[in-house]
């Protein structure tokens, strides 16, 4: 096995001081076992090897698994060191799980060692044995050893801070012979007294935040902070070098103006035995990447003296006098400046503390700003808006079309076609795919690897990432030339499913992405993924309900000549509802106009609407009067609500129909009369041809399902060209507008002469519909037409047998005048049979009428309410074949009741 070899590898002393005790104890615990302990650097190159026995070490030497050799996954394949480094987490491999044949006789467990303050991987620890000696507990042992090393690294940071604070104190108490007078003993700041004041938690938090920023910025030594109560604090940064060569900084705070500071209840004895106040020291926050929480102890010691009593403090790096306060020695409380140590540490650690705080702020903002809507695209855009430029200079989000449509996402592979749905950037000229462009990553890209494995990928140096450049060398080569230098790509995983991929790039920021940035990106994308999946599920449910409702609503306009109709339906933002409308052709060239509303939203309301609409169609086929039809519908709704207990699935109770309203109108173009009835629905409006508007004075009636109350009707004569406007309450009423105000505004909008029904719909919706309607809206506008005398022929006949022949002659003559001679034979036979039946079986005057509409309509009316019945005549019967002949010769036939009796009608198709 040919592995790259680098002689003389070593780890820095700080790291080795933390590793050696742990490594010694771990090796001693394996003294009776054939177990080798390997220590590798952050590039997976072996630095040290301990234990293992002669036989194991000899076999490891044969495959060059020895100090100096490279064990990275790219070079050596799957192994405990390289795979733990590539995966940035503990790993256990047993025998056959190794990719290389030469490694299959071994079992190993590896774990990365991180700097607890920066989160960067500093080394890798590995346990290796022969496959027969393997034990899954090796993973636990190597993980605990890595954590113990990280704990010792954290303790070293504490020791360095203590050494830096001690150096600062020595500088404050010693004199270097340069003429600087020795410092007086600090005066004790009592917790009570007339001059004592108090700093609140907010002020202390502000000081702490500013001190961390000052500690992390080597170029600055002074900062001023405004506090509550008109006070002002000055922060001073002093560079410090400890006795062992530690370099760091101390931030001192001086309070100016207002009451002097008091340290509440925090006192500690000095070397002289006199109590002094414990200085307020702070410890840099540990980044989220640290796996075990460690609390650094506070450095305890006396504060620096106040400006009123102390000699100038010394900077250890270059001793020099510190300027005195302008009010030194005047005893004025308003001008006193009490100084004390607020923060001590290394500038690099201070930078990490500032970064940790900013990352927490970013996570907080992400939790507030991501997922404000239930829209997939908008949620992806919110992720880009939150992270640019605070975390990355370029953020792109790619999702499959199935997620955008709300469908269940199929398993994503490295070459699954995606679509760019969001892009955030600090510069517009970056050569990347735009929003809406299809994206299909080649297998070598980090994004493809991310989709295949479901794990995030960090590419700190994109110039070395040949797989990323292979996606499109020309475009991505230009991206490198304009400064894009590092990448983190994270899968959008929610509820065990990968929804897409998010990629973060840096170009303006000089620092490349690090391991702790990878953890932050995972947290950000994880939150966004949950919100995107919620939006996807909502989209699916919304589309399902909307598809159900639209399938239940009318599709197109039915063929009829009575009215010229236009309609609109707009679902509410909250979801689909139960509003519906209908245009139903009736016999005699008449038409029924229907508008209804089921209370509530969602699938249940849509399904209920479909049931009621079907019932209206069935009842209208019975040729019922409007009030009779609403009575039948009211009985039906009362029977549907509630459901029987045995028919309800446990845990999903049927809410039943909680309320519904309906308006039913029938218009006759021959008489130009319109009959209306309503059940709890808003009253319709009539727009006369001259533009005047009137709301029909129509009895309201109770909503459907209450029962017990009759429905009133109104009948009015409409001039040809009048517009009948029917609507649901969502158009004129909402939370911010009273229904009277809505009706007044509707009247004003409708007051226009000569407007087409389509234009009327547009004008009404533009004027009355809010930007985000809370309720769905159904609007139906019907402009009336009238049938002229040249389309209608009517004869009143006495109830005598002799009129049958006269009726046949009249029908033939009328059809000749209309140019319909082809229909003469069938029509005169139909008219003869219907008139004969009326003379034989009915009473009262008989009326014969012909209407030339889309079909030739032949009607015979009489004063009887007895319905004719179609029956099958036997061969020996002399009669009973009249209606059978009528049914065979016509396209449709039926009976409807009138106020004086009934009418039998037939329709014959025109040539």
């Amino acid at each position: 096995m040919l592995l790259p070899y680098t002689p003389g590898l070593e780890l820095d002393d700080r790291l080795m001081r933390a590793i050696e005790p742990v490594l010694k104890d771990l090796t001693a615990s394996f003294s009776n076992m054939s177990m080798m302990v390997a220590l590798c650097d952050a590039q997976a190159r072996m630095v040290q090897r301990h234990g293992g026995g002669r036989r194991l070490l000899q076999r490891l030497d044969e495959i060059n698994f020895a100090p100096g050799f490279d064990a990275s996954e790219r070079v050596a394949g799957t192994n405990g060191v390289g795979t733990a480094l590539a995966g940035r987490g503990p790993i256990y491999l047993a025998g056959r799980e190794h990719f290389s044949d030469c490694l299959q006789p071994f079992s190993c467990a590896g774990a990365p060692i991180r700097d607890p303050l920066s989160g960067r991987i500093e080394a890798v620890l590995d346990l290796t044995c022969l496959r027969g000696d393997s034990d899954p507990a090796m993973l636990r042992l190597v993980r605990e050893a890595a954590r113990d090393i990280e704990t010792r690294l954290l303790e070293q940071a504490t020791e360095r801070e203590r050494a830096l604070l001690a150096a600062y104190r020595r500088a404050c108490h010693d004199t270097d012979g340069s003429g600087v007078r020795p410092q007086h003993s600090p005066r004790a700041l009592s917790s009570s007294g007339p001059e004592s004041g108090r700093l609140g938690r907010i002020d202390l938090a502000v000081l702490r935040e500013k001190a961390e920023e000052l500690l992390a910025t080597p170029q600055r030594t002074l900062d001023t902070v405004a506090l509550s109560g008109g006070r002002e604090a000055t922060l001073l940064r002093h560079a410090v070098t400890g006795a062992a060569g530690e370099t760091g900084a101390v931030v001192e705070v001086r309070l100016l103006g207002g009451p002097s500071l008091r340290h509440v209840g925090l006192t500690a004895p000095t070397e002289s035995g006199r109590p002094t106040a414990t200085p307020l020291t702070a410890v840099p926050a540990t980044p989220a990447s640290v796996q075990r929480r460690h609390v650094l102890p506070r450095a305890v010691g006396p504060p620096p003296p106040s400006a009123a009593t102390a000699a100038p403090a010394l900077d250890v790096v270059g001793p020099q006098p510190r300027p005195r306060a302008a009010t030194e020695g005047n005893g004025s409380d308003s001008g006193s400046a009490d100084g004390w140590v607020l923060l001590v540490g290394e500038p690099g650690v201070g930078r990490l503390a500032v970064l940790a705080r900013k990352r927490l702020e970013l996570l907080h903002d992400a939790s507030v700003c991501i997922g404000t809507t239930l829209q997939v695209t908008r949620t992806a855009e919110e992720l880009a808006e939150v992270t640019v430029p605070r975390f990355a200079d370029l953020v792109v989000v790619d999702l499959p079309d199935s997620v955008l449509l709300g469908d269940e996402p199929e398993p994503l592979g490295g070459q699954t076609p995606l679509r760019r749905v969001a892009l955030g950037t600090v510069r517009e000229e970056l050569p990347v795919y735009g929003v809406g462009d299809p994206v299909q990553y080649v297998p070598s890209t980090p994004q493809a690897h991310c989709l295949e494995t479901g794990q995030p990928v960090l590419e700190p140096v994109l110039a070395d990432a040949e797989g990323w450049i292979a996606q499109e060398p020309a475009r991505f080569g230009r991206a490198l030339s304009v400064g894009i230098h590092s990448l983190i790509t994270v899968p959008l995983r929610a509820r065990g499913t990968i929804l897409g991929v998010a990629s973060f790039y840096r170009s303006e920021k000089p620092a490349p992405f690090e391991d702790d940035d990878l953890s932050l990106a995972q947290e950000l994308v994880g939150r966004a993924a949950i919100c995107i999946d919620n939006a996807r599920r909502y989209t699916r449910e919304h589309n399902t309900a909307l598809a159900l409702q639209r399938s239940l609503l009318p599709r197109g306009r039915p063929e009829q000549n009575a009215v010229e109709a236009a309609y609109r339906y707009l679902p509410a933002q909250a979801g689909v509802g139960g509003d519906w409308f209908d245009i139903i052709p009736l016999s005699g060239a008449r038409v029924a106009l229907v508008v209804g509303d089921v209370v509530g939203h969602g699938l249940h309301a849509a399904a209920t609407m479909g049931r009621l609409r079907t019932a209206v169609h069935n009842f209208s086929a019975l040729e019922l009067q409007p009030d009779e039809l609403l009575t039948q519908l009211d009985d039906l709704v009362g029977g549907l609500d509630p459901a029987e207990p045995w028919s309800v699935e446990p845990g999903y109770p049927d809410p039943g129909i909680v309320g519904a309203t309906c308006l039913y109108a029938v218009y006759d173009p021959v008489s130009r009369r319109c009959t209306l009835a309503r059940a709890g629905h808003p009253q319709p409006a009539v727009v006369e041809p001259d533009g005047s508007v009137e709301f029909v004075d129509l009895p309201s009636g109770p909503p459907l399902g209450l029962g017990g109350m009759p429905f009133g009707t109104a009948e009015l004569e409409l001039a040809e060209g009048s517009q009948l406007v029917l609507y649901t309450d969502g158009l004129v009423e909402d939370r911010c507008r009273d229904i009277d105000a809505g009706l007044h505004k509707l009247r004003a909008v409708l007051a226009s002469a000569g407007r087409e029904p389509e234009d009327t719909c547009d004008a009404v919706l533009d004027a009355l519909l809010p930007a985000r309607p809370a309720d769905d809206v159904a609007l139906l506008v019907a402009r009336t037409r009238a049938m002229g005398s040249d389309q209608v022929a009517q004869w009143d006949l006495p109830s005598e047998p002799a009129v049958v022949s006269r009726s046949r002659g009249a029908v033939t003559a009328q059809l000749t005048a209309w140019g319909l001679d082809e229909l003469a034979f069938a029509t005169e036979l139909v008219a003869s049979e219907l008139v004969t039946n009326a003379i034989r079986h009915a009473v009262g005057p008989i009326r014969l009428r012909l209407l030339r509409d889309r079909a030739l309509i032949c009607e015979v009316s009489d004063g009887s309410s007895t319905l004719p019945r179609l029956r099958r005549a036997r061969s020996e019967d002399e009669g009973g074949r009249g209606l059978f002949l009528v049914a065979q010769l016509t396209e449709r036939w039926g009976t409807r009741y009138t106020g004086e009796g009934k009418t039998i009608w037939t329709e014959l198709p025109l040539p």
Side-chain angles (χ1 to χ4, degrees):
M1 193 170 178
L2 300 177
L3 302 178
Y5 177 75
T6 305
L9 291 175
E10 293 182 356
L11 298 178
D12 65 79
D13 293 339
R14 175 184 65 89
L15 192 59
M16 291 306 301
R17 287 197 301 271
I19 291 176
E20 286 175 349
V22 178
L23 211 59
K24 181 179 179 181
D25 294 341
L26 187 62
T27 304
S29 65
F30 295 138
S31 59
N32 296 327
M33 299 173 59
S34 182
M35 183 76 67
M36 187 272 295
V37 182
L39 176 65
C40 302
D41 64 8
Q43 285 75 44
R45 299 172 299 185
M46 189 177 296
V47 178
Q48 295 181 4
R49 191 173 69 177
H50 302 276
R54 179 181 301 176
R55 179 168 171 267
L56 176 61
L57 296 179
Q58 182 179 359
R59 299 196 62 177
L60 292 174
D61 288 341
E62 293 174 358
I63 60 171
N64 291 335
F65 199 67
F69 286 95
D70 191 343
S72 62
E73 191 176 51
R74 177 178 58 87
V75 174
T78 307
N79 66 87
V81 176
T83 306
L85 183 61
R88 292 175 171 79
I91 185 71
Y92 174 73
L93 299 170
R96 299 292 181 183
E97 295 177 350
H98 288 94
F99 181 77
S100 301
D101 292 339
C102 61
L103 294 177
Q104 292 185 3
F106 305 96
S107 293
C108 58
I113 300 172
R114 297 177 181 269
D115 186 321
L117 295 178
S118 68
R120 288 190 295 268
I121 294 178
E122 301 287 352
V124 181
L125 195 61
D126 174 82
L127 303 180
T128 300
C129 66
L130 293 173
R131 188 171 58 192
D133 299 331
S134 66
D135 190 330
M138 294 165 56
L139 180 63
R140 177 179 57 82
L141 294 175
V142 74
R143 184 190 293 119
E144 291 179 352
R147 289 181 178 177
D148 290 341
I149 294 172
E150 292 169 356
T151 302
R152 290 180 175 274
L153 287 173
L154 197 60
E155 292 171 352
Q156 288 183 17
T158 307
E159 294 173 358
R160 288 197 299 273
E161 284 191 342
R162 290 172 177 168
L164 292 174
L165 184 60
Y168 177 75
R169 290 177 184 159
R170 286 195 301 272
C172 292
H173 287 276
D174 296 342
T175 179
D176 60 350
S178 61
V180 180
R181 54 181 178 158
Q183 182 174 303
H184 297 284
S185 300
R187 63 177 178 177
L189 298 178
S190 173
S191 62
S192 62
E195 296 183 358
S196 63
R198 182 188 299 270
L199 279 183
R201 291 184 177 181
I202 296 179
D203 288 337
L204 291 175
V206 171
L207 288 174
R208 163 72 177 272
E209 180 178 346
K210 294 297 183 181
E212 289 176 351
E213 294 179 358
L214 191 61
L215 181 67
T217 311
Q219 298 82 5
R220 296 171 55 196
T221 59
L222 182 68
D223 198 1
T224 302
V225 183
L227 304 176
S228 61
R231 291 173 292 187
E232 187 178 78
T234 300
L235 300 178
L236 303 174
R237 182 181 184 276
H238 306 283
V240 187
T241 301
E246 303 90 346
T247 59
V250 172
V251 177
E252 177 183 328
V253 61
R254 289 168 172 261
L255 189 66
L256 304 174
S260 60
L261 177 70
R262 127 171 112 102
H263 300 273
V264 183
L266 297 177
T267 59
T270 63
E271 295 179 358
S272 62
R274 291 178 297 175
T276 63
T278 302
L280 295 178
T281 61
V283 178
T286 303
S289 60
V290 179
Q291 298 181 8
R292 181 182 297 178
R293 178 174 296 179
H294 303 279
V295 180
L296 300 183
R298 295 177 180 267
V300 179
S306 67
T309 59
L314 299 179
D315 192 323
V316 179
V317 176
Q320 56 183 334
R322 183 195 312 167
R324 297 170 180 261
T327 58
E328 180 178 350
N330 61 6
S332 173
D333 188 44
S334 62
S336 63
D338 292 329
W340 77 100
V341 174
L342 181 63
L343 197 67
V344 60
E346 299 172 85
V349 176
R351 180 186 70 85
L352 296 173
V354 173
L355 290 177
R357 186 180 66 251
K358 290 182 178 179
R359 286 165 181 154
L360 289 175
E361 293 174 354
L362 179 59
L363 288 175
H364 172 267
D365 293 344
S367 65
V368 174
C369 299
I370 297 177
T372 59
T373 67
L374 287 173
Q375 299 176 5
V376 174
T377 301
R378 180 57 192 152
T379 304
E381 292 172 350
E382 289 169 346
L383 173 62
E385 292 171 358
V386 167
T387 52
V388 174
R390 298 168 63 179
F391 178 68
D393 301 315
L394 170 65
V395 176
V396 295
V397 180
D398 304 318
L399 302 173
D401 289 337
S402 59
V403 173
L404 297 175
L405 298 175
D407 300 333
E408 287 293 336
E410 299 178 356
L412 299 185
Q415 299 188 49
T416 301
L418 304 175
R419 188 171 302 279
R420 182 141 298 170
V421 298
L423 185 150
T425 177
V426 295
R427 295 189 298 174
E428 297 297 334
E429 68 273 11
L430 292 177
V432 295
Y433 300 113
V435 174
D437 292 346
V439 180
Q440 187 167 3
Y441 292 104
V442 300
S444 62
T445 57
Q447 287 85 352
H449 180 73
C450 177
L451 292 173
E452 287 284 356
T453 63
Q455 299 298 321
V457 177
L458 168 63
E459 290 287 356
V461 183
L462 276 179
D464 298 336
E466 298 177 357
W468 176 77
I469 299 175
Q471 171 70 25
E472 194 171 334
R475 181 192 294 266
F476 287 11
R478 292 196 308 272
L480 292 175
S481 65
V482 297
I484 294 180
H485 57 77
S486 60
L487 160 71
I488 289 178
T489 180
V490 184
L492 285 155
R493 180 190 293 273
R495 301 176 176 94
T497 303
I498 296 179
L499 305 175
V501 62
S503 301
F504 304 87
Y505 297 87
R506 279 187 178 173
S507 61
E508 300 287 340
K509 296 178 175 63
F513 285 116
E514 301 174 348
D515 286 335
D516 47 353
D517 294 317
L518 184 65
S519 301
L520 177 60
Q522 286 181 273
E523 181 68 22
L524 291 170
V525 173
R527 299 186 183 196
I530 291 297
C531 296
I532 288 176
D533 190 53
N534 291 339
R536 178 194 64 81
R537 290 167 178 259
Y538 170 80
T539 301
R540 180 188 61 190
E541 298 299 330
H542 180 76
N543 291 343
T544 300
L546 194 59
L548 171 63
Q549 186 184 46
R550 292 197 181 280
S551 68
L552 298 174
L553 288 172
R555 296 186 178 183
R557 298 176 176 88
E559 294 183 355
Q560 49 83 32
N561 290 335
V563 296
E564 179 186 355
Y567 52 81
R568 298 288 188 274
Y569 172 76
L570 289 94
Q573 291 291 332
V576 299
D579 290 16
W580 89 92
F581 62 91
D582 243 322
I583 304 170
I584 306 174
L586 301 177
S587 63
R590 299 171 305 142
V591 66
L593 305 174
V594 190
V595 172
D597 183 6
V598 176
V599 176
H601 297 90
L603 287 175
H604 176 73
T608 302
M609 176 270 291
R611 298 163 78 181
L612 295 184
R613 179 170 177 259
T614 302
V616 171
H617 270 264
N618 293 334
F619 291 144
S620 64
L622 299 176
E623 301 284 357
L624 300 177
Q625 293 296 316
D627 57 335
E628 296 174 354
L629 185 142
L630 290 183
T631 300
Q632 295 293 330
L633 198 62
D634 178 66
D635 294 340
L636 174 67
V637 171
L640 291 176
D641 186 14
E644 294 294 334
W646 55 265
S647 65
V648 178
E649 183 178 352
Y652 296 91
D654 183 2
I657 302 176
V658 296
T661 65
C662 184
L663 171 62
Y664 188 85
V666 176
Y667 173 70
D668 187 348
V670 178
S671 63
R672 294 186 287 105
R673 303 196 67 80
C674 182
T675 306
L676 308 94
R678 61 175 177 146
H681 204 82
Q683 57 193 134
V686 175
V687 184
E688 300 290 344
D690 60 0
S692 60
V693 181
E694 292 294 337
F695 289 100
V696 180
D697 186 12
L698 178 62
S700 173
L704 297 175
L706 298 182
M709 294 292 292
F711 296 97
T713 61
E715 187 172 341
L716 59 153
E717 184 174 335
L718 301 176
E720 183 177 5
S722 300
Q723 291 189 6
L724 187 62
V725 181
L726 288 70
Y727 51 90
T728 55
D729 58 356
L731 181 68
V732 294
E733 183 181 20
D734 57 33
R735 296 176 181 177
C736 303
R737 181 176 57 196
D738 184 74
I739 188 172
D740 292 334
L743 292 175
H744 179 75
K745 193 171 184 178
L746 177 62
R747 180 193 295 270
V749 175
L750 292 176
S752 178
R755 192 158 52 188
E756 296 292 327
E758 292 286 347
D759 297 334
T760 300
C761 288
D762 293 337
V764 169
L765 294 183
D766 291 342
L768 279 82
L769 198 66
R772 295 179 60 86
D775 194 6
D776 44 349
V777 173
L779 173 64
L780 176 61
V781 178
R783 183 165 62 182
T784 62
R785 294 169 177 165
M787 296 184 68
S789 58
D790 59 336
Q791 294 179 276
V792 181
Q794 179 175 299
W795 300 273
D796 291 326
L797 306 174
S799 182
E800 299 176 357
V803 303
V804 176
S805 60
R806 295 203 305 267
S807 65
R808 287 197 296 265
V811 167
T812 302
Q814 185 62 52
L815 293 181
T816 301
W818 284 345
L820 300 176
D821 293 325
E822 298 179 21
L823 300 179
F825 175 75
T827 306
E828 70 175 40
L829 181 57
V830 169
S832 174
E833 288 293 335
L834 295 181
V835 171
T836 301
N837 284 343
I839 293 173
R840 289 182 176 180
H841 305 293
V843 296
I846 300 173
R847 176 175 296 172
L848 172 63
R849 186 169 73 164
L850 294 181
L851 303 176
R852 181 165 57 87
D853 193 47
R854 291 180 177 271
L856 180 62
I857 302 172
C858 178
E859 297 181 345
V860 174
S861 303
D862 57 54
S864 172
S865 59
T866 304
L867 284 177
R869 182 170 59 90
L870 180 65
R871 63 186 181 89
R872 182 180 298 274
R874 292 173 296 182
S875 58
E876 64 271 14
D877 290 344
E878 296 183 359
R881 297 176 177 84
L883 284 182
F884 177 76
L885 291 175
V886 169
Q888 297 299 313
L889 294 173
T890 60
E891 187 176 45
R892 293 195 310 154
W893 76 279
T895 305
R896 67 173 181 268
Y897 288 104
T898 63
E900 297 81 17
K902 68 174 183 298
T903 298
I904 302 176
W905 57 268
T906 64
E907 291 183 2
L908 288 84
L910 295 177

Coordinates of all heavy atoms in Angstrom, one line a residue, residues 15-40:
L15 N -0.9 21.5 22.6 CA -1.7 20.3 22.3 C -1.1 19.1 23.0 O -1.9 18.2 23.6 CB -1.9 20.1 20.8 CG -2.9 19.1 20.3 CD1 -4.3 19.5 20.8 CD2 -2.9 19.0 18.8
M16 N 0.2 18.9 22.9 CA 0.8 17.7 23.5 C 0.7 17.7 25.0 O 0.5 16.6 25.6 CB 2.3 17.6 23.1 CG 2.5 17.3 21.6 SD 1.6 15.8 21.1 CE 2.3 14.6 22.2
R17 N 0.7 18.8 25.7 CA 0.5 18.9 27.1 C -0.8 18.3 27.5 O -1.0 17.7 28.6 CB 0.7 20.3 27.7 CG 2.2 20.8 27.7 CD 2.3 22.0 28.6 NE 1.5 23.1 28.2 CZ 1.9 24.0 27.3 NH1 3.1 24.0 26.7 NH2 1.0 25.0 27.0
A18 N -1.8 18.6 26.7 CA -3.2 18.1 27.0 C -3.3 16.6 26.6 O -4.1 15.8 27.2 CB -4.2 18.9 26.3
I19 N -2.6 16.2 25.6 CA -2.7 14.8 25.1 C -2.0 13.8 25.9 O -2.4 12.7 26.1 CB -2.3 14.8 23.6 CG1 -3.3 15.5 22.7 CG2 -2.2 13.3 23.1 CD1 -3.0 15.6 21.2
E20 N -0.7 14.1 26.2 CA 0.2 13.1 26.8 C -0.4 12.4 28.0 O -0.3 11.1 28.1 CB 1.5 13.7 27.1 CG 2.4 14.0 25.9 CD 3.6 14.7 26.2 OE1 3.8 15.2 27.4 OE2 4.5 14.8 25.3
P21 N -1.0 13.0 29.0 CA -1.5 12.3 30.2 C -2.7 11.3 29.8 O -2.7 10.2 30.3 CB -2.0 13.4 31.1 CG -1.3 14.6 30.7 CD -1.1 14.5 29.3
V22 N -3.5 11.8 28.9 CA -4.6 11.0 28.5 C -4.1 9.8 27.7 O -4.6 8.6 27.9 CB -5.6 11.8 27.6 CG1 -6.8 10.9 27.1 CG2 -6.2 12.9 28.5
L23 N -3.1 10.0 26.8 CA -2.6 9.0 26.0 C -1.9 7.9 26.9 O -1.9 6.7 26.6 CB -1.6 9.6 25.0 CG -1.5 8.8 23.6 CD1 -2.8 8.8 23.0 CD2 -0.5 9.6 22.7
K24 N -1.2 8.4 27.9 CA -0.5 7.5 28.8 C -1.5 6.6 29.5 O -1.3 5.4 29.6 CB 0.3 8.3 29.8 CG 1.1 7.5 30.8 CD 1.9 8.4 31.7 CE 2.7 7.5 32.7 NZ 3.5 8.4 33.6
D25 N -2.5 7.1 30.1 CA -3.5 6.3 30.8 C -4.2 5.4 29.8 O -4.5 4.2 30.2 CB -4.6 7.2 31.4 CG -4.0 8.1 32.5 OD1 -2.9 7.7 33.0 OD2 -4.6 9.1 32.9
L26 N -4.5 5.8 28.6 CA -5.2 5.0 27.7 C -4.3 3.8 27.3 O -4.8 2.6 27.2 CB -5.6 5.8 26.4 CG -6.5 5.1 25.4 CD1 -7.8 4.7 26.0 CD2 -6.7 6.0 24.2
T27 N -3.0 4.0 27.0 CA -2.1 3.0 26.6 C -2.0 2.0 27.8 O -1.9 0.7 27.6 CB -0.8 3.6 26.2 OG1 -1.0 4.5 25.2 CG2 0.2 2.5 25.8
A28 N -1.9 2.5 29.0 CA -1.7 1.6 30.2 C -3.0 0.7 30.4 O -2.8 -0.5 30.8 CB -1.5 2.4 31.4
S29 N -4.1 1.2 30.0 CA -5.3 0.4 30.2 C -5.4 -0.8 29.2 O -6.1 -1.8 29.4 CB -6.6 1.2 30.0 OG -6.7 1.7 28.7
F30 N -4.5 -0.7 28.1 CA -4.5 -1.8 27.1 C -3.2 -2.6 27.3 O -2.8 -3.3 26.3 CB -4.5 -1.2 25.7 CG -5.8 -0.5 25.4 CD1 -5.8 0.7 24.7 CD2 -7.0 -1.0 25.8 CE1 -7.0 1.4 24.4 CE2 -8.2 -0.4 25.4 CZ -8.2 0.8 24.8
S31 N -2.6 -2.6 28.4 CA -1.3 -3.3 28.6 C -1.5 -4.8 28.4 O -0.5 -5.5 28.0 CB -0.7 -3.0 30.0 OG -1.6 -3.4 31.0
N32 N -2.6 -5.3 28.7 CA -2.8 -6.8 28.6 C -3.6 -7.1 27.3 O -4.1 -8.3 27.2 CB -3.6 -7.3 29.8 CG -2.8 -7.1 31.1 OD1 -1.6 -7.2 31.1 ND2 -3.5 -6.9 32.2
M33 N -3.7 -6.2 26.4 CA -4.5 -6.4 25.2 C -3.6 -6.0 24.0 O -2.7 -5.2 24.1 CB -5.8 -5.6 25.2 CG -6.7 -5.9 26.3 SD -8.1 -4.7 26.3 CE -8.8 -5.1 24.7
S34 N -3.9 -6.6 22.9 CA -3.2 -6.3 21.6 C -4.0 -5.2 20.9 O -4.7 -5.4 20.0 CB -3.1 -7.5 20.7 OG -2.4 -7.2 19.5
M35 N -3.8 -3.9 21.5 CA -4.5 -2.8 21.0 C -3.5 -1.6 20.8 O -2.8 -1.3 21.7 CB -5.6 -2.3 22.0 CG -6.4 -1.2 21.6 SD -7.7 -1.6 20.4 CE -8.7 -2.7 21.3
M36 N -3.5 -1.1 19.6 CA -2.6 0.0 19.3 C -3.3 1.3 19.3 O -4.5 1.5 18.9 CB -2.0 -0.2 17.9 CG -0.9 0.8 17.5 SD -1.6 2.3 16.7 CE -2.3 1.7 15.2
V37 N -2.7 2.3 20.0 CA -3.2 3.7 20.1 C -2.4 4.6 19.2 O -1.2 4.7 19.3 CB -3.2 4.2 21.5 CG1 -3.8 5.6 21.6 CG2 -3.9 3.2 22.5
A38 N -3.1 5.2 18.2 CA -2.4 6.1 17.2 C -2.9 7.5 17.4 O -4.1 7.8 17.6 CB -2.7 5.6 15.8
L39 N -1.9 8.5 17.3 CA -2.2 9.9 17.3 C -1.8 10.5 16.0 O -0.7 10.3 15.5 CB -1.4 10.6 18.5 CG -1.6 12.1 18.6 CD1 -3.0 12.5 18.9 CD2 -0.6 12.7 19.6
C40 N -2.8 11.2 15.3 CA -2.5 11.7 14.0 C -2.9 13.2 14.1 O -3.6 13.7 14.9 CB -3.4 11.1 13.0 SG -3.2 9.3 12.9

